[in-house]
Amino acid sequence: NIQRLESDQEAVQILTMHKAKGLEAEVVFIGGGFTDNRSSSNDTAIYHLGNERRLHVGKAIGALASLIKEETRQENERLLYVALTRARSRLYLPFFGASGDREKTKVERDYKFSSLGNKYAKLQRQLDLLADQGQFEDSRDHFRVRPLCCSQDNRRQGQDLGTLPIWQTDKLLEPPVSSAEEAARLASEHRGVLLTSYTRIKSAAETALPVEGEGVASLLFSEVIDPAAALFIKEPDQQELPGGRETGIFLHALIENIPATELPGTTYKDWVIRDTVITRAEKLAARYGFSPEYLPAALKLVFRALTAPLDLVSREKTASLKLPAGLAAAERVRKEMAFAYPIPEADHPLLGSSRPGKSPEQALPYEVGRGYLQGLIDYLFEHEGRVYLLDWKSDRLTDFGPETIEQHVQKNYSLQAGIYSLAVVRLLGLGCEADYEARFGGILYFFMRSLQAGEGTWFSRPGWLELLKLERELLQRNQWGGAVIAQLRGNRGEGEKEANRHEG
């Protein structure tokens, strides 16, 4: 029942702290909340016991009263956080100041507002602390104090508050002085650890890239023709999958939900008519908004991706991979596996830095500096004791021969290949060359738009020294797809000496 103005461009919005969540304004005033709610025997209260959310009706006593009081305190802090972080340029807070004896503790002080409640008293005590430290009216102009005329009804201890000088209230809403440079510096200094990814790094570092397929795995709607399996040849009445991000998500979901034991030893014709396969595919199609008419094309694509024979040699000629029955026959598989590991820092124990006989207690601990690298591995599998990671690619290329794919990967995906390889090496705890050679199989990019059997796959297993070099290049990297903390925690000087020693 609120009638909006024809234009609210110059309007002042008045709203509760609850409703302010998610909103911002150039200038924000906080007022109210100076008294606590009156309690009664019929009050209701929400509190948590363990992970359970509970409702209490009536008067609370004993341990229950303490739980409710703590819940109220935490909720008040959350509300104040919301309120304090809505302003983009200027924030106005009521500051009552302390009357009486300034030597009293912050809790004992008598404020110029009768019965200042717990909700605002906590914030008032923080303002008191700033005042005690002389940080009001500071040289950098972070804070200003402006006395305002108060109501005559609020006189206390014979003090006439109405005699206070009146600040010109018409200046309260004057346009804020731009401090974008200062704000950027403060944001960098006070920012928490960064959670970044290859995609974010790529977006920040490169302004123009060749256009890739639409979405994560929209590559899959391209037919793959295998001369040895005519069933993959497009049928005249087959409905093609549309392009777009939604198609990629749908096909990834199909792959992710296929049990590891379902495909080995079967043919497409036998597999696709199973009730479990049809029911599962129909449910996923409904979930992601696809008509059942798209299922034949989607299921053929997924079956082909997981059962195509692999007989590969790495680009470095240092490793080989033979899977005659395809990826589905791998010994152990993890699909859509998320990872996160600390951005390498000079004071981290880098790969190859461990010394023989050094116990875990003596090893240098990880302390997160700039933040974490995160990602999602499409397909992680183990074969003959080695672990491999695979990423589906949807790029449109003129051809999918080895030279074209090599050039394309080096131009667009070399950083991703390194980040993902480091993630798996860290995950497996491979700290020396012998362990690396024995356990890490390599990284594969499968370009699913390829139309010829034996093409469309890029396979690499970098040497141990190459991986060490990559980690140290990441250590020196300054751009991580966002502002980062300038000063890292801990003693970086010693860490740099340690890293240089091992690099030498």
Side-chain angles (χ1 to χ4, degrees):
N1 298 325
I2 298 177
Q3 184 176 356
R4 303 290 297 183
L5 299 174
E6 290 185 4
S7 172
D8 59 2
Q9 183 174 357
E10 300 298 327
V12 175
Q13 272 191 295
I14 300 177
L15 65 166
T16 66
M17 293 182 184
H18 284 95
K19 288 193 174 183
K21 187 175 182 180
L23 303 178
E24 286 185 330
E26 291 299 327
V27 180
V28 171
F29 294 81
I30 294 179
F34 304 139
T35 58
D36 291 329
N37 296 330
R38 298 292 182 184
S39 61
S40 68
S41 59
N42 294 322
D43 277 351
T44 59
I46 300 293
Y47 68 98
H48 287 77
L49 187 61
N51 292 324
E52 289 185 349
R53 188 170 184 260
R54 297 187 175 189
L55 169 68
H56 176 76
V57 180
K59 186 177 181 180
I61 60 175
L64 182 57
S66 299
L67 284 174
I68 293 175
K69 183 178 179 180
E70 176 63 15
E71 190 89 10
T72 302
R73 182 192 66 79
Q74 293 179 6
E75 176 63 15
N76 288 340
E77 289 186 359
R78 285 190 291 266
L79 278 176
L80 279 174
Y81 173 81
V82 168
L84 293 171
T85 53
R86 299 309 94 199
R88 285 195 291 258
S89 298
R90 185 178 296 157
L91 173 67
Y92 288 96
L93 299 172
F95 175 59
F96 298 102
S99 63
D101 189 356
R102 291 289 295 181
E103 297 302 320
K104 289 183 178 180
T105 66
K106 298 178 180 63
V107 177
E108 295 172 335
R109 287 178 183 173
D110 181 19
Y111 293 109
K112 297 177 182 177
F113 189 97
S114 63
S115 303
L116 189 62
N118 291 324
K119 183 179 296 184
Y120 197 82
K122 188 175 183 65
L123 179 56
Q124 174 68 40
R125 287 193 289 271
Q126 298 303 313
L127 295 175
D128 282 341
L129 182 61
L130 292 173
D132 291 344
Q133 294 174 347
Q135 294 190 41
F136 284 166
E137 302 289 347
D138 62 0
S139 59
R140 303 186 67 181
D141 205 25
H142 288 157
F143 301 97
R144 297 181 185 180
V145 177
R146 295 292 182 264
L148 295 173
C149 178
C150 300
S151 169
Q152 296 292 327
D153 296 331
N154 282 342
R155 299 177 183 179
R156 300 192 62 191
Q157 299 179 354
Q159 199 173 23
D160 184 0
L161 302 183
T163 60
L164 289 173
I166 301 176
W167 189 40
Q168 298 179 22
T169 55
D170 59 340
K171 292 185 178 181
L172 287 174
L173 292 174
E174 65 183 0
V177 178
S178 175
S179 56
E181 184 176 347
E182 176 75 0
R185 183 188 65 79
L186 289 173
S188 177
E189 288 181 1
H190 295 279
R191 183 185 298 273
V193 294
L194 178 72
L195 187 62
T196 190
S197 65
Y198 160 71
T199 302
R200 191 177 181 193
I201 296 169
K202 180 180 177 183
S203 299
E206 302 177 8
T207 56
L209 283 175
V211 177
E212 296 183 10
E214 303 119 333
V216 178
S218 55
L219 57 100
L220 295 172
F221 68 84
S222 175
E223 282 294 326
V224 180
I225 301 177
D226 187 342
L231 60 94
F232 295 115
I233 298 177
K234 182 181 174 183
E235 300 169 0
D237 59 347
Q238 180 178 309
Q239 184 68 36
E240 289 189 18
L241 284 168
R245 181 173 177 269
E246 292 78 10
T247 297
I249 295 174
F250 171 49
L251 293 171
H252 266 70
L254 286 174
I255 293 176
E256 184 178 3
N257 283 276
I258 296 175
T261 58
E262 189 173 272
L263 294 181
T266 188
T267 65
Y268 174 75
K269 290 182 179 180
D270 292 336
W271 174 73
V272 78
I273 62 174
R274 296 179 186 176
D275 290 339
T276 53
V277 174
I278 296 172
T279 301
R280 181 176 63 232
E282 287 177 344
K283 287 182 178 179
L284 290 172
R287 180 186 302 174
Y288 294 100
F290 280 83
S291 171
E293 64 188 6
Y294 292 111
L295 288 180
L299 292 174
K300 283 185 178 182
L301 233 47
V302 167
F303 188 86
R304 171 67 175 86
L306 295 174
T307 60
L310 296 178
D311 188 356
L312 306 170
V313 177
S314 68
R315 54 187 291 271
E316 300 87 359
K317 311 297 183 186
T318 57
S320 61
L321 172 63
K322 291 186 178 182
L323 278 169
L327 295 169
E331 297 160 19
R332 290 196 292 174
V333 174
R334 286 292 301 272
K335 306 169 189 176
E336 303 293 327
M337 192 194 78
F339 68 83
Y341 66 95
I343 293 173
E345 308 292 359
D347 52 358
H348 285 177
L350 303 180
L351 291 175
S353 62
S354 58
R355 294 185 291 275
K358 192 171 185 181
S359 66
E361 292 77 14
Q362 296 172 316
L364 294 174
Y366 271 98
E367 187 171 353
V368 177
R370 290 170 287 187
Y372 293 89
L373 268 169
Q374 67 173 350
L376 191 68
I377 297 174
D378 291 345
Y379 206 88
L380 190 75
F381 64 96
E382 185 176 7
H383 180 63
E384 295 181 347
R386 288 180 172 174
V387 176
Y388 301 78
L389 63 117
L390 180 145
D391 202 74
W392 311 112
K393 292 299 179 187
S394 60
D395 308 52
R396 302 176 186 272
L397 306 179
T398 55
D399 68 85
F400 291 89
E403 293 183 1
T404 302
I405 287 182
E406 176 66 25
Q407 292 175 3
H408 186 70
V409 170
Q410 292 306 317
K411 183 177 181 180
N412 296 286
Y413 297 120
S414 58
L415 178 60
Q416 184 195 34
I419 289 174
Y420 279 45
S421 296
L422 277 173
V424 174
V425 168
R426 286 291 189 189
L427 174 70
L428 297 174
L430 308 180
C432 65
E433 185 173 5
D435 291 341
Y436 176 79
E437 294 289 339
R439 291 286 290 139
F440 184 66
I443 178 171
L444 295 95
Y445 286 155
F446 194 72
F447 291 83
M448 298 186 69
R449 292 190 190 274
S450 172
L451 299 178
Q452 299 295 328
E455 289 187 346
T457 304
W458 183 84
F459 175 35
S460 172
R461 193 180 73 141
W464 176 247
L465 294 180
E466 187 178 348
L467 202 66
L468 299 186
K469 180 181 177 182
L470 170 66
E471 188 178 42
R472 282 157 177 78
E473 288 175 354
L474 293 180
L475 187 153
Q476 301 299 328
R477 187 181 185 90
N478 293 321
Q479 175 55 259
W480 289 97
V484 296
I485 299 173
Q487 299 296 326
L488 304 182
R489 292 173 241 162
N491 186 351
R492 293 195 59 180
E494 292 302 317
E496 289 173 356
K497 292 177 183 178
E498 180 77 6
N500 292 334
R501 238 190 340 265
H502 290 291
E503 188 172 9

